[in-house]
mmCIF file of all heavy atoms in Angstrom:
data_model
loop_
_atom_site.group_PDB
_atom_site.id
_atom_site.type_symbol
_atom_site.label_atom_id
_atom_site.label_comp_id
_atom_site.label_asym_id
_atom_site.label_seq_id
_atom_site.Cartn_x
_atom_site.Cartn_y
_atom_site.Cartn_z
ATOM 1 N N PRO A 27 -29.427 61.146 -17.632
ATOM 2 C CA PRO A 27 -28.538 61.894 -16.732
ATOM 3 C C PRO A 27 -27.405 62.537 -17.520
ATOM 4 O O PRO A 27 -27.018 62.043 -18.588
ATOM 5 C CB PRO A 27 -28.014 60.827 -15.769
ATOM 6 C CG PRO A 27 -28.170 59.534 -16.510
ATOM 7 C CD PRO A 27 -29.399 59.691 -17.365
ATOM 8 N N ARG A 28 -26.898 63.630 -17.006
ATOM 9 C CA ARG A 28 -25.804 64.336 -17.682
ATOM 10 C C ARG A 28 -24.513 63.524 -17.574
ATOM 11 O O ARG A 28 -24.147 63.060 -16.490
ATOM 12 C CB ARG A 28 -25.603 65.718 -17.052
ATOM 13 C CG ARG A 28 -24.575 66.587 -17.790
ATOM 14 C CD ARG A 28 -24.390 67.902 -17.052
ATOM 15 N NE ARG A 28 -25.630 68.651 -16.971
ATOM 16 C CZ ARG A 28 -26.062 69.506 -17.894
ATOM 17 N NH1 ARG A 28 -25.329 69.722 -18.978
ATOM 18 N NH2 ARG A 28 -27.199 70.146 -17.735
ATOM 19 N N SER A 29 -23.836 63.357 -18.679
ATOM 20 C CA SER A 29 -22.574 62.625 -18.692
ATOM 21 C C SER A 29 -21.403 63.590 -18.512
ATOM 22 O O SER A 29 -21.586 64.809 -18.431
ATOM 23 C CB SER A 29 -22.425 61.850 -20.002
ATOM 24 O OG SER A 29 -22.395 62.744 -21.103
ATOM 25 N N LYS A 30 -20.215 63.031 -18.455
ATOM 26 C CA LYS A 30 -19.024 63.872 -18.361
ATOM 27 C C LYS A 30 -17.922 63.271 -19.225
ATOM 28 O O LYS A 30 -17.918 62.068 -19.522
ATOM 29 C CB LYS A 30 -18.541 64.006 -16.921
ATOM 30 C CG LYS A 30 -17.918 62.771 -16.312
ATOM 31 C CD LYS A 30 -17.443 63.047 -14.886
ATOM 32 C CE LYS A 30 -16.651 61.888 -14.297
ATOM 33 N NZ LYS A 30 -17.427 60.664 -14.148
ATOM 34 N N VAL A 31 -16.978 64.104 -19.644
ATOM 35 C CA VAL A 31 -15.853 63.648 -20.448
ATOM 36 C C VAL A 31 -14.560 64.035 -19.756
ATOM 37 O O VAL A 31 -14.460 65.110 -19.150
ATOM 38 C CB VAL A 31 -15.916 64.232 -21.885
ATOM 39 C CG1 VAL A 31 -15.798 65.749 -21.883
ATOM 40 C CG2 VAL A 31 -14.832 63.619 -22.766
ATOM 41 N N THR A 32 -13.587 63.138 -19.813
ATOM 42 C CA THR A 32 -12.285 63.366 -19.191
ATOM 43 C C THR A 32 -11.196 63.080 -20.208
ATOM 44 O O THR A 32 -11.250 62.073 -20.928
ATOM 45 C CB THR A 32 -12.092 62.465 -17.962
ATOM 46 O OG1 THR A 32 -13.124 62.723 -17.016
ATOM 47 C CG2 THR A 32 -10.741 62.707 -17.310
ATOM 48 N N PHE A 33 -10.209 63.960 -20.274
ATOM 49 C CA PHE A 33 -9.058 63.790 -21.153
ATOM 50 C C PHE A 33 -7.821 63.592 -20.278
ATOM 51 O O PHE A 33 -7.496 64.460 -19.462
ATOM 52 C CB PHE A 33 -8.855 65.018 -22.046
ATOM 53 C CG PHE A 33 -10.047 65.377 -22.885
ATOM 54 C CD1 PHE A 33 -11.007 66.255 -22.403
ATOM 55 C CD2 PHE A 33 -10.211 64.846 -24.154
ATOM 56 C CE1 PHE A 33 -12.109 66.607 -23.163
ATOM 57 C CE2 PHE A 33 -11.311 65.185 -24.930
ATOM 58 C CZ PHE A 33 -12.255 66.065 -24.432
ATOM 59 N N GLU A 34 -7.130 62.470 -20.461
ATOM 60 C CA GLU A 34 -5.889 62.205 -19.744
ATOM 61 C C GLU A 34 -4.731 62.300 -20.722
ATOM 62 O O GLU A 34 -4.742 61.653 -21.769
ATOM 63 C CB GLU A 34 -5.932 60.819 -19.095
ATOM 64 C CG GLU A 34 -6.997 60.698 -18.008
ATOM 65 C CD GLU A 34 -6.994 59.345 -17.329
ATOM 66 O OE1 GLU A 34 -6.318 58.431 -17.845
ATOM 67 O OE2 GLU A 34 -7.666 59.205 -16.289
ATOM 68 N N ILE A 35 -3.740 63.117 -20.388
ATOM 69 C CA ILE A 35 -2.627 63.423 -21.278
ATOM 70 C C ILE A 35 -1.337 62.888 -20.662
ATOM 71 O O ILE A 35 -0.989 63.245 -19.538
ATOM 72 C CB ILE A 35 -2.513 64.944 -21.504
ATOM 73 C CG1 ILE A 35 -3.822 65.495 -22.095
ATOM 74 C CG2 ILE A 35 -1.322 65.274 -22.390
ATOM 75 C CD1 ILE A 35 -3.886 67.004 -22.112
ATOM 76 N N GLU A 36 -0.630 62.036 -21.405
ATOM 77 C CA GLU A 36 0.600 61.431 -20.896
ATOM 78 C C GLU A 36 1.692 61.494 -21.963
ATOM 79 O O GLU A 36 1.576 60.820 -22.993
ATOM 80 C CB GLU A 36 0.361 59.971 -20.515
ATOM 81 C CG GLU A 36 -0.733 59.723 -19.496
ATOM 82 C CD GLU A 36 -0.986 58.242 -19.302
ATOM 83 O OE1 GLU A 36 -0.018 57.520 -18.961
ATOM 84 O OE2 GLU A 36 -2.130 57.795 -19.519
ATOM 85 N N PRO A 37 2.741 62.286 -21.767
ATOM 86 C CA PRO A 37 3.855 62.294 -22.717
ATOM 87 C C PRO A 37 4.520 60.926 -22.783
ATOM 88 O O PRO A 37 4.760 60.290 -21.758
ATOM 89 C CB PRO A 37 4.815 63.338 -22.129
ATOM 90 C CG PRO A 37 3.944 64.209 -21.272
ATOM 91 C CD PRO A 37 2.906 63.284 -20.696
ATOM 92 N N ARG A 38 4.784 60.467 -23.992
ATOM 93 C CA ARG A 38 5.463 59.196 -24.224
ATOM 94 C C ARG A 38 6.565 59.418 -25.261
ATOM 95 O O ARG A 38 6.383 59.150 -26.447
ATOM 96 C CB ARG A 38 4.480 58.124 -24.712
ATOM 97 C CG ARG A 38 3.399 57.743 -23.707
ATOM 98 C CD ARG A 38 3.987 56.948 -22.539
ATOM 99 N NE ARG A 38 2.975 56.560 -21.579
ATOM 100 C CZ ARG A 38 2.281 55.426 -21.650
ATOM 101 N NH1 ARG A 38 2.466 54.598 -22.655
ATOM 102 N NH2 ARG A 38 1.393 55.124 -20.712
ATOM 103 N N GLY A 39 7.699 59.925 -24.823
ATOM 104 C CA GLY A 39 8.779 60.231 -25.750
ATOM 105 C C GLY A 39 8.351 61.336 -26.702
ATOM 106 O O GLY A 39 7.868 62.385 -26.265
ATOM 107 N N PRO A 40 8.482 61.110 -28.027
ATOM 108 C CA PRO A 40 8.072 62.143 -28.984
ATOM 109 C C PRO A 40 6.561 62.217 -29.178
ATOM 110 O O PRO A 40 6.071 63.109 -29.865
ATOM 111 C CB PRO A 40 8.754 61.698 -30.281
ATOM 112 C CG PRO A 40 8.827 60.204 -30.155
ATOM 113 C CD PRO A 40 9.083 59.939 -28.690
ATOM 114 N N LEU A 41 5.837 61.293 -28.587
ATOM 115 C CA LEU A 41 4.390 61.248 -28.737
ATOM 116 C C LEU A 41 3.700 61.633 -27.435
ATOM 117 O O LEU A 41 4.325 61.729 -26.385
ATOM 118 C CB LEU A 41 3.935 59.835 -29.139
ATOM 119 C CG LEU A 41 4.575 59.237 -30.389
ATOM 120 C CD1 LEU A 41 4.092 57.809 -30.588
ATOM 121 C CD2 LEU A 41 4.273 60.084 -31.618
ATOM 122 N N VAL A 42 2.401 61.862 -27.539
ATOM 123 C CA VAL A 42 1.569 62.087 -26.367
ATOM 124 C C VAL A 42 0.416 61.100 -26.427
ATOM 125 O O VAL A 42 -0.271 60.995 -27.445
ATOM 126 C CB VAL A 42 1.029 63.529 -26.311
ATOM 127 C CG1 VAL A 42 0.095 63.693 -25.118
ATOM 128 C CG2 VAL A 42 2.169 64.529 -26.207
ATOM 129 N N LYS A 43 0.226 60.369 -25.339
ATOM 130 C CA LYS A 43 -0.890 59.445 -25.235
ATOM 131 C C LYS A 43 -2.103 60.209 -24.718
ATOM 132 O O LYS A 43 -2.059 60.809 -23.649
ATOM 133 C CB LYS A 43 -0.560 58.297 -24.282
ATOM 134 C CG LYS A 43 -1.701 57.313 -24.068
ATOM 135 C CD LYS A 43 -1.321 56.253 -23.032
ATOM 136 C CE LYS A 43 -2.468 55.297 -22.751
ATOM 137 N NZ LYS A 43 -2.132 54.310 -21.704
ATOM 138 N N LEU A 44 -3.171 60.190 -25.496
ATOM 139 C CA LEU A 44 -4.421 60.844 -25.098
ATOM 140 C C LEU A 44 -5.476 59.776 -24.871
ATOM 141 O O LEU A 44 -5.799 59.013 -25.775
ATOM 142 C CB LEU A 44 -4.898 61.818 -26.171
ATOM 143 C CG LEU A 44 -6.286 62.439 -25.931
ATOM 144 C CD1 LEU A 44 -6.301 63.299 -24.675
ATOM 145 C CD2 LEU A 44 -6.751 63.237 -27.147
ATOM 146 N N THR A 45 -6.014 59.731 -23.654
ATOM 147 C CA THR A 45 -7.109 58.833 -23.335
ATOM 148 C C THR A 45 -8.355 59.664 -23.068
ATOM 149 O O THR A 45 -8.323 60.591 -22.254
ATOM 150 C CB THR A 45 -6.790 57.975 -22.094
ATOM 151 O OG1 THR A 45 -5.606 57.205 -22.346
ATOM 152 C CG2 THR A 45 -7.935 57.024 -21.784
ATOM 153 N N VAL A 46 -9.428 59.349 -23.777
ATOM 154 C CA VAL A 46 -10.698 60.043 -23.618
ATOM 155 C C VAL A 46 -11.664 59.096 -22.924
ATOM 156 O O VAL A 46 -11.910 57.990 -23.413
ATOM 157 C CB VAL A 46 -11.269 60.494 -24.980
ATOM 158 C CG1 VAL A 46 -12.610 61.200 -24.790
ATOM 159 C CG2 VAL A 46 -10.280 61.404 -25.693
ATOM 160 N N ILE A 47 -12.197 59.529 -21.800
ATOM 161 C CA ILE A 47 -13.150 58.736 -21.020
ATOM 162 C C ILE A 47 -14.464 59.510 -20.967
ATOM 163 O O ILE A 47 -14.535 60.586 -20.372
ATOM 164 C CB ILE A 47 -12.642 58.486 -19.595
ATOM 165 C CG1 ILE A 47 -11.227 57.908 -19.616
ATOM 166 C CG2 ILE A 47 -13.602 57.577 -18.823
ATOM 167 C CD1 ILE A 47 -10.461 58.137 -18.343
ATOM 168 N N HIS A 48 -15.480 58.977 -21.597
ATOM 169 C CA HIS A 48 -16.795 59.619 -21.578
ATOM 170 C C HIS A 48 -17.716 58.670 -20.818
ATOM 171 O O HIS A 48 -18.004 57.568 -21.286
ATOM 172 C CB HIS A 48 -17.307 59.852 -22.998
ATOM 173 C CG HIS A 48 -18.373 60.893 -23.080
ATOM 174 N ND1 HIS A 48 -18.537 61.722 -24.175
ATOM 175 C CD2 HIS A 48 -19.333 61.258 -22.201
ATOM 176 C CE1 HIS A 48 -19.559 62.549 -23.953
ATOM 177 N NE2 HIS A 48 -20.058 62.269 -22.761
ATOM 178 N N ASP A 49 -18.157 59.074 -19.620
ATOM 179 C CA ASP A 49 -18.936 58.172 -18.791
ATOM 180 C C ASP A 49 -20.107 58.900 -18.141
ATOM 181 O O ASP A 49 -20.372 60.064 -18.438
ATOM 182 C CB ASP A 49 -18.052 57.491 -17.743
ATOM 183 C CG ASP A 49 -17.329 58.480 -16.832
ATOM 184 O OD1 ASP A 49 -17.614 59.689 -16.910
ATOM 185 O OD2 ASP A 49 -16.481 58.044 -16.033
ATOM 186 N N GLY A 50 -20.804 58.175 -17.271
ATOM 187 C CA GLY A 50 -21.997 58.723 -16.642
ATOM 188 C C GLY A 50 -23.268 58.362 -17.370
ATOM 189 O O GLY A 50 -24.332 58.917 -17.088
ATOM 190 N N PHE A 51 -23.178 57.422 -18.327
ATOM 191 C CA PHE A 51 -24.341 57.000 -19.094
ATOM 192 C C PHE A 51 -25.089 55.885 -18.363
ATOM 193 O O PHE A 51 -24.507 55.143 -17.574
ATOM 194 C CB PHE A 51 -23.926 56.483 -20.474
ATOM 195 C CG PHE A 51 -23.174 57.477 -21.303
ATOM 196 C CD1 PHE A 51 -21.800 57.373 -21.458
ATOM 197 C CD2 PHE A 51 -23.839 58.512 -21.932
ATOM 198 C CE1 PHE A 51 -21.099 58.283 -22.232
ATOM 199 C CE2 PHE A 51 -23.148 59.433 -22.713
ATOM 200 C CZ PHE A 51 -21.780 59.319 -22.853
ATOM 201 N N GLU A 52 -26.348 55.758 -18.661
ATOM 202 C CA GLU A 52 -27.122 54.627 -18.187
ATOM 203 C C GLU A 52 -27.211 53.594 -19.301
ATOM 204 O O GLU A 52 -27.043 53.931 -20.489
ATOM 205 C CB GLU A 52 -28.522 55.071 -17.753
ATOM 206 C CG GLU A 52 -29.308 55.786 -18.840
ATOM 207 C CD GLU A 52 -30.614 56.366 -18.336
ATOM 208 O OE1 GLU A 52 -30.817 56.420 -17.119
ATOM 209 O OE2 GLU A 52 -31.441 56.762 -19.192
ATOM 210 N N PRO A 53 -27.452 52.311 -18.987
ATOM 211 C CA PRO A 53 -27.570 51.288 -20.039
ATOM 212 C C PRO A 53 -28.624 51.675 -21.071
ATOM 213 O O PRO A 53 -29.701 52.171 -20.731
ATOM 214 C CB PRO A 53 -27.984 50.040 -19.251
ATOM 215 C CG PRO A 53 -27.407 50.258 -17.885
ATOM 216 C CD PRO A 53 -27.547 51.733 -17.629
ATOM 217 N N GLY A 54 -28.295 51.455 -22.336
ATOM 218 C CA GLY A 54 -29.217 51.788 -23.410
ATOM 219 C C GLY A 54 -29.274 53.258 -23.738
ATOM 220 O O GLY A 54 -30.194 53.709 -24.445
ATOM 221 N N SER A 55 -28.302 54.028 -23.279
ATOM 222 C CA SER A 55 -28.304 55.484 -23.457
ATOM 223 C C SER A 55 -28.282 55.889 -24.936
ATOM 224 O O SER A 55 -27.479 55.404 -25.727
ATOM 225 C CB SER A 55 -27.089 56.086 -22.748
ATOM 226 O OG SER A 55 -26.874 57.414 -23.130
ATOM 227 N N THR A 56 -29.174 56.820 -25.297
ATOM 228 C CA THR A 56 -29.165 57.391 -26.648
ATOM 229 C C THR A 56 -27.921 58.240 -26.854
ATOM 230 O O THR A 56 -27.301 58.214 -27.920
ATOM 231 C CB THR A 56 -30.424 58.235 -26.864
ATOM 232 O OG1 THR A 56 -31.583 57.418 -26.743
ATOM 233 C CG2 THR A 56 -30.422 58.882 -28.248
ATOM 234 N N ALA A 57 -27.549 59.008 -25.830
ATOM 235 C CA ALA A 57 -26.366 59.868 -25.933
ATOM 236 C C ALA A 57 -25.106 59.046 -26.137
ATOM 237 O O ALA A 57 -24.228 59.427 -26.912
ATOM 238 C CB ALA A 57 -26.238 60.736 -24.683
ATOM 239 N N LEU A 58 -25.005 57.903 -25.460
ATOM 240 C CA LEU A 58 -23.827 57.048 -25.622
ATOM 241 C C LEU A 58 -23.709 56.575 -27.058
ATOM 242 O O LEU A 58 -22.617 56.557 -27.630
ATOM 243 C CB LEU A 58 -23.914 55.860 -24.668
ATOM 244 C CG LEU A 58 -22.804 54.812 -24.792
ATOM 245 C CD1 LEU A 58 -21.438 55.445 -24.602
ATOM 246 C CD2 LEU A 58 -23.015 53.684 -23.789
ATOM 247 N N GLY A 59 -24.821 56.193 -27.664
ATOM 248 C CA GLY A 59 -24.778 55.778 -29.054
ATOM 249 C C GLY A 59 -24.276 56.878 -29.972
ATOM 250 O O GLY A 59 -23.540 56.631 -30.920
ATOM 251 N N MET A 60 -24.660 58.110 -29.665
ATOM 252 C CA MET A 60 -24.241 59.233 -30.502
ATOM 253 C C MET A 60 -22.760 59.547 -30.328
ATOM 254 O O MET A 60 -22.048 59.764 -31.311
ATOM 255 C CB MET A 60 -25.104 60.457 -30.176
ATOM 256 C CG MET A 60 -26.567 60.286 -30.568
ATOM 257 S SD MET A 60 -27.625 61.663 -30.064
ATOM 258 C CE MET A 60 -27.009 62.967 -31.128
ATOM 259 N N VAL A 61 -22.272 59.578 -29.085
ATOM 260 C CA VAL A 61 -20.863 59.915 -28.882
ATOM 261 C C VAL A 61 -19.963 58.771 -29.337
ATOM 262 O O VAL A 61 -18.838 59.013 -29.797
ATOM 263 C CB VAL A 61 -20.565 60.284 -27.414
ATOM 264 C CG1 VAL A 61 -21.407 61.465 -26.975
ATOM 265 C CG2 VAL A 61 -20.773 59.113 -26.469
ATOM 266 N N ARG A 62 -20.454 57.523 -29.254
ATOM 267 C CA ARG A 62 -19.667 56.391 -29.739
ATOM 268 C C ARG A 62 -19.391 56.529 -31.228
ATOM 269 O O ARG A 62 -18.329 56.158 -31.713
ATOM 270 C CB ARG A 62 -20.417 55.079 -29.453
ATOM 271 C CG ARG A 62 -19.675 53.836 -29.930
ATOM 272 C CD ARG A 62 -20.491 52.591 -29.643
ATOM 273 N NE ARG A 62 -20.526 52.332 -28.215
ATOM 274 C CZ ARG A 62 -21.607 51.974 -27.545
ATOM 275 N NH1 ARG A 62 -22.755 51.863 -28.171
ATOM 276 N NH2 ARG A 62 -21.546 51.728 -26.259
ATOM 277 N N GLU A 63 -20.339 57.075 -31.955
ATOM 278 C CA GLU A 63 -20.151 57.274 -33.395
ATOM 279 C C GLU A 63 -19.268 58.483 -33.689
ATOM 280 O O GLU A 63 -18.489 58.474 -34.644
ATOM 281 C CB GLU A 63 -21.515 57.463 -34.058
ATOM 282 C CG GLU A 63 -21.438 57.647 -35.564
ATOM 283 C CD GLU A 63 -22.793 57.826 -36.198
ATOM 284 O OE1 GLU A 63 -23.815 57.546 -35.523
ATOM 285 O OE2 GLU A 63 -22.848 58.249 -37.362
ATOM 286 N N GLY A 64 -19.377 59.509 -32.853
ATOM 287 C CA GLY A 64 -18.670 60.746 -33.146
ATOM 288 C C GLY A 64 -17.232 60.815 -32.693
ATOM 289 O O GLY A 64 -16.384 61.394 -33.380
ATOM 290 N N TRP A 65 -16.919 60.208 -31.522
ATOM 291 C CA TRP A 65 -15.577 60.370 -30.973
ATOM 292 C C TRP A 65 -14.456 59.847 -31.878
ATOM 293 O O TRP A 65 -13.413 60.507 -32.006
ATOM 294 C CB TRP A 65 -15.481 59.718 -29.599
ATOM 295 C CG TRP A 65 -15.878 60.586 -28.435
ATOM 296 C CD1 TRP A 65 -16.863 60.342 -27.531
ATOM 297 C CD2 TRP A 65 -15.301 61.846 -28.053
ATOM 298 N NE1 TRP A 65 -16.946 61.369 -26.603
ATOM 299 C CE2 TRP A 65 -15.992 62.299 -26.902
ATOM 300 C CE3 TRP A 65 -14.280 62.623 -28.576
ATOM 301 C CZ2 TRP A 65 -15.685 63.501 -26.274
ATOM 302 C CZ3 TRP A 65 -13.966 63.825 -27.950
ATOM 303 C CH2 TRP A 65 -14.659 64.255 -26.814
ATOM 304 N N PRO A 66 -14.566 58.676 -32.512
ATOM 305 C CA PRO A 66 -13.448 58.201 -33.331
ATOM 306 C C PRO A 66 -13.049 59.186 -34.426
ATOM 307 O O PRO A 66 -11.866 59.462 -34.636
ATOM 308 C CB PRO A 66 -13.985 56.891 -33.926
ATOM 309 C CG PRO A 66 -15.001 56.432 -32.936
ATOM 310 C CD PRO A 66 -15.665 57.681 -32.448
ATOM 311 N N ARG A 67 -14.032 59.748 -35.130
ATOM 312 C CA ARG A 67 -13.704 60.691 -36.198
ATOM 313 C C ARG A 67 -13.202 62.014 -35.616
ATOM 314 O O ARG A 67 -12.323 62.664 -36.181
ATOM 315 C CB ARG A 67 -14.931 60.920 -37.083
ATOM 316 C CG ARG A 67 -15.344 59.690 -37.881
ATOM 317 C CD ARG A 67 -16.524 59.978 -38.792
ATOM 318 N NE ARG A 67 -16.895 58.818 -39.572
ATOM 319 C CZ ARG A 67 -17.772 57.914 -39.187
ATOM 320 N NH1 ARG A 67 -18.383 58.053 -38.021
ATOM 321 N NH2 ARG A 67 -18.058 56.875 -39.950
ATOM 322 N N LEU A 68 -13.765 62.410 -34.488
ATOM 323 C CA LEU A 68 -13.316 63.646 -33.855
ATOM 324 C C LEU A 68 -11.845 63.539 -33.457
ATOM 325 O O LEU A 68 -11.044 64.455 -33.699
ATOM 326 C CB LEU A 68 -14.190 63.937 -32.630
ATOM 327 C CG LEU A 68 -14.098 65.329 -32.000
ATOM 328 C CD1 LEU A 68 -15.394 65.642 -31.256
ATOM 329 C CD2 LEU A 68 -12.931 65.435 -31.032
ATOM 330 N N LEU A 69 -11.471 62.404 -32.867
ATOM 331 C CA LEU A 69 -10.083 62.205 -32.469
ATOM 332 C C LEU A 69 -9.167 62.115 -33.679
ATOM 333 O O LEU A 69 -8.023 62.561 -33.631
ATOM 334 C CB LEU A 69 -9.964 60.953 -31.605
ATOM 335 C CG LEU A 69 -10.606 61.051 -30.220
ATOM 336 C CD1 LEU A 69 -10.517 59.721 -29.490
ATOM 337 C CD2 LEU A 69 -9.961 62.153 -29.398
ATOM 338 N N SER A 70 -9.666 61.533 -34.769
ATOM 339 C CA SER A 70 -8.879 61.520 -36.002
ATOM 340 C C SER A 70 -8.632 62.941 -36.484
ATOM 341 O O SER A 70 -7.542 63.282 -36.951
ATOM 342 C CB SER A 70 -9.601 60.716 -37.087
ATOM 343 O OG SER A 70 -9.657 59.357 -36.767
#
């Protein structure tokens, strides 16, 4: 099934808190395994 990604942006003083929620996966999803590997470096 097609997944979706959500970005939540919250100012915290001089910083901004960014929360990335990627959901809509089924258990054992191949796509989830791929985005789990990619998102940390992408956010870096």
Side-chain angles (χ1 to χ4, degrees):
R28 186 183 300 272
S29 62
K30 71 178 187 297
V31 63
T32 301
F33 303 90
E34 295 183 349
I35 302 170
E36 303 174 57
R38 296 289 181 89
L41 305 176
V42 176
K43 177 184 177 183
L44 173 64
T45 301
V46 179
I47 308 157
H48 200 148
D49 58 8
F51 302 104
E52 57 187 12
S55 167
T56 299
L58 175 57
M60 293 175 68
V61 301
R62 180 181 290 137
E63 181 180 346
W65 273 121
R67 293 183 179 90
L68 193 155
L69 291 176
S70 293

